[in-house]
């Protein structure tokens, strides 16, 4: 089967054509500057082509993707008939979606209804969906939501302790994000652990970071909230913060709520703490060269992740498996070691030699570690392709 996985942003569109069973990617690429001029970068294996093409809307971008996929020289298929279905990444499914769904009018209406919760992403995701409907009429399409995996959380985890009317009238609650990654990693961890019944704490640590507490494959709690701003400090996001800080800064500097939130989302996190970069590699290098602010940024990030791990072990009543994934989790042995230091009390014992891996699936805990610690590279596109194939096959 060939599934075209689409991740549409407001002026960009990423794609991968992949086999959901093997995970093999036959082609992938990126359309950029949609609505401005337009550039397509297309990769097949190690071969890369860049084309400047007019892309006034997402429809021209999708058309360009399909044309290059069937191109006799650059392409990988003979006709678009070889694409069995399209899977779309959609940011916010609100309370309407606890799973992926076949796209029809009702699904589109529900994604529209979630726009107040995902005002930046959902409209862009819808543009990608509508463009595919226009360019490939009748092709089965599936929406895969970043929030859906977390919908199994109990009310005590997802409700905020604020007046009920905001929940009842406006759907204000914890949703959580990176759900497709947490779902993929949970499934992979179950395969590696040889059971579905275990307590998992998953650390998705990248530019954006979130942790989830998962019991028997079902999410019980997660660190991001109504928006991806909550939880541990991240590349440029502050993470959890006392709301009074927002009020104080707004009053003191005459900032609007939007300006203040922009600062918390884009100018905070380890970027602000280190004063160096939002990129963990740069921060690790600066810390090694003796930059104290960079050292503090790494120390605080590790401390916050460790605190969430402790909280989730308490929430789950124990922990059998701890997983690291995403850019930092998969690649930074140093950060994994920092985080695990001090978790010995709960049965986490890292094998420092085994931990020295980068970007590959591996068990990195010591033989006698009560908690199994794994590095599992995430693959959100594969999860989207698998969900798409499953739903489309079931509907046949
Ligand atoms: P992601 O958002 O999952 O793509 O992760 C991006 C983050 O991973 C960036 O902050 C990178 O600096 C970080 N990263 C990637 N490779 C490494 C590495 N070898 N060591 C430390 N951080 C890394």
């Amino acid at each position: 089967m060939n599934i075209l996985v689409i991740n549409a942003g407001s002026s960009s569109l990423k794609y991968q054509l992949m086999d959901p069973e093997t995970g093999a990617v036959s082609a992938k690429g990126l359309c950029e500057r949609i609505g401005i001029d337009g550039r397509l970068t297309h990769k097949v294996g190690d071969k890369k082509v860049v084309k400047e093409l007019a892309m006034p809307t997402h429809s021209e971008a999708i058309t360009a993707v399909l044309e290059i996929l069937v191109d006799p020289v650059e392409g990988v298929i003979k006709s678009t008939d070889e694409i069995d279905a399209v899977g779309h990444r959609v940011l916010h499914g609100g309370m309407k979606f606890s799973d992926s769904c076949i796209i029809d009018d009702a699904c589109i209406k529900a994604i529209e209804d979630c726009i107040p919760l995902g005002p930046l992403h959902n409209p862009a995701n819808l543009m990608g969906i509508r463009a595919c409907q226009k360019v490939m009429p009748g092709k089965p399409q599936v929406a895969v939501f970043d929030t859906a995996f977390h919908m199994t959380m109990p009310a005590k985890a997802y409700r905020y302790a604020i007046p009920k009317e905001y929940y009842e009238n406006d759907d204000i609650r914890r949703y959580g994000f990176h759900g497709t990654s947490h779902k993929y990693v949970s499934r992979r961890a179950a395969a590696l652990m040889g059971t579905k019944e275990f307590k998992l704490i998953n650390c998705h640590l990248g530019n954006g970071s979130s942790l989830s507490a998962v019991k028997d494959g079902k999410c019980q709690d997660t660190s991001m909230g109504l928006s991806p701003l909550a939880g541990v400090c991240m590349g440029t996001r502050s993470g959890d913060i006392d709301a009074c800080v927002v009020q104080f800064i707004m009053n003191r500097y005459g900032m609007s709520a939007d300006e203040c939130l922009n600062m918390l989302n884009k100018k905070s996190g380890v970027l602000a703490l280190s004063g160096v970069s939002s990129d963990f590699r740069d921060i690790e290098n600066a810390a090694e060269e003796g930059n104290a602010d960079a050292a503090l940024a790494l120390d605080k990030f590790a401390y916050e992740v460790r605190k969430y791990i402790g909280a989730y072990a308490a929430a789950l009543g124990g922990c059998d498996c701890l997983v690291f994934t995403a850019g930092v989790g998969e690649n930074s042995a140093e950060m994994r070691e920092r985080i695990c230091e001090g978790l010995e009390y709960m049965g986490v014992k890292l094998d420092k030699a085994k931990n020295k891996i980068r970007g590959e699936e591996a068990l990195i805990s010591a033989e006698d570690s009560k908690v199994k610690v794994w590095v599992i590279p995430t693959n959100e596109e594969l999860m989207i392709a698998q969900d798409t194939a499953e739903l489309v096959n079931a509907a046949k």
Side-chain angles (χ1 to χ4, degrees):
M1 231 178 159
N2 278 319
I3 305 291
L4 182 62
V5 177
I6 300 282
N7 182 357
S10 55
S11 67
S12 70
L13 184 147
K14 289 189 203 140
Y15 63 93
Q16 286 198 9
L17 187 66
M18 67 192 307
D19 180 334
E21 275 171 34
T22 63
V25 177
S26 41
K28 64 178 174 181
L30 168 69
C31 299
E32 291 168 284
R33 301 176 61 85
I34 302 170
I36 306 165
D37 37 33
R39 180 191 308 136
L40 171 72
T41 307
H42 179 75
K43 288 186 196 160
V44 177
D46 293 337
K47 196 169 161 233
K48 181 168 121 179
V49 218
V50 181
K51 291 191 172 193
E52 309 288 333
L53 296 163
M55 294 177 188
T57 71
H58 286 66
S59 297
E60 289 80 13
I62 292 281
T63 304
V65 170
L66 296 181
E67 278 174 4
I68 201 151
L69 285 173
V70 301
D71 185 270
V73 181
E74 318 292 357
V76 289
I77 48 177
K78 289 198 178 67
S79 129
T80 54
D81 293 344
E82 290 177 47
I83 300 172
D84 296 284
V86 184
H88 292 267
R89 179 179 189 198
V90 180
L91 181 83
H92 221 304
M95 288 206 274
K96 294 177 188 287
F97 294 99
S98 54
D99 214 337
S100 303
C101 110
I102 299 240
I103 295 174
D104 55 15
D105 290 347
C107 170
I108 289 189
K109 165 82 175 57
I111 298 172
E112 280 171 346
D113 291 345
C114 295
I115 288 177
L117 298 169
L120 297 179
H121 294 84
N122 277 32
N125 303 150
L126 279 166
M127 283 195 271
I129 291 170
R130 292 206 170 97
C132 286
Q133 286 183 322
K134 187 173 158 197
V135 177
M136 291 178 275
K139 187 78 74 191
Q141 296 197 57
V142 168
V144 178
F145 300 89
D146 233 22
T147 49
F149 178 70
H150 305 302
M151 291 308 282
T152 49
M153 283 189 286
K156 65 186 172 194
Y158 71 69
R159 280 289 297 278
Y160 290 129
I162 59 173
K164 198 176 186 184
E165 68 218 51
Y166 300 115
Y167 171 66
E168 288 183 336
N169 300 340
D170 307 300
D171 295 350
I172 293 183
R173 48 161 280 175
R174 179 187 304 281
Y175 288 98
F177 297 87
H178 294 141
T180 314
S181 170
H182 286 289
K183 181 174 175 181
Y184 175 81
V185 168
S186 302
R187 285 198 179 176
R188 194 68 212 126
L192 295 166
M193 295 286 282
T195 171
K196 286 187 176 151
E197 288 170 13
F198 64 103
K199 294 164 182 166
L200 161 73
I201 299 173
N202 185 34
C203 310
H204 176 113
L205 310 178
N207 188 33
S209 295
S210 67
L211 285 88
S212 62
V214 182
K215 185 164 184 289
D216 305 340
K218 293 201 162 51
C219 181
Q220 303 299 314
D221 207 343
T222 192
S223 59
M224 286 179 165
L226 174 78
S227 86
L229 180 60
V232 295
C233 64
M234 311 177 204
T236 63
R237 296 190 192 116
S238 63
D240 295 335
I241 194 158
D242 181 344
C244 286
V245 173
V246 178
Q247 182 203 32
F248 187 99
I249 291 176
M250 283 171 65
N251 289 342
R252 177 80 166 231
Y253 295 96
M255 274 191 197
S256 67
D258 283 357
E259 284 167 341
C260 198
L261 265 287
N262 190 51
M263 179 272 288
L264 293 174
N265 272 303
K266 305 225 168 98
K267 297 180 186 163
S268 301
V270 291
L271 166 69
L273 285 167
S274 69
V276 172
S277 167
S278 62
D279 191 300
F280 279 79
R281 279 165 294 201
D282 298 338
I283 305 172
E284 285 181 359
N285 290 339
E288 249 170 57
E289 286 163 12
N291 182 322
D293 289 339
L296 171 67
L298 296 176
D299 204 19
K300 182 165 173 65
F301 181 75
Y303 176 67
E304 293 204 345
V305 173
R306 197 181 316 121
K307 275 209 302 191
Y308 262 100
I309 292 172
Y312 286 169
L316 292 169
C319 171
D320 304 306
C321 179
L322 178 65
V323 175
F324 290 100
T325 193
V328 179
E330 291 165 25
N331 295 300
S332 177
E334 184 193 321
M335 185 50 75
R336 291 191 298 259
E337 193 177 324
R338 271 176 192 268
I339 292 167
C340 290
E341 253 167 30
L343 288 181
E344 294 81 6
Y345 77 92
M346 57 174 269
V348 172
K349 197 168 160 195
L350 212 59
D351 181 320
K352 289 190 182 170
K354 287 187 191 159
N355 183 40
K356 283 200 174 73
I357 49 108
R358 176 178 292 180
E360 58 184 274
E361 194 170 274
L363 182 67
I364 57 169
S365 46
E367 293 272 317
D368 59 345
S369 179
K370 189 174 89 46
V371 178
K372 302 284 171 238
V373 186
W374 289 90
V375 172
I376 301 181
T378 194
N379 194 338
E380 292 169 82
E381 290 78 15
L382 179 56
M383 195 67 254
I384 294 173
Q386 286 177 347
D387 269 9
T388 303
E390 205 175 292
L391 283 177
V392 169
N393 285 333
K396 270 182 189 163

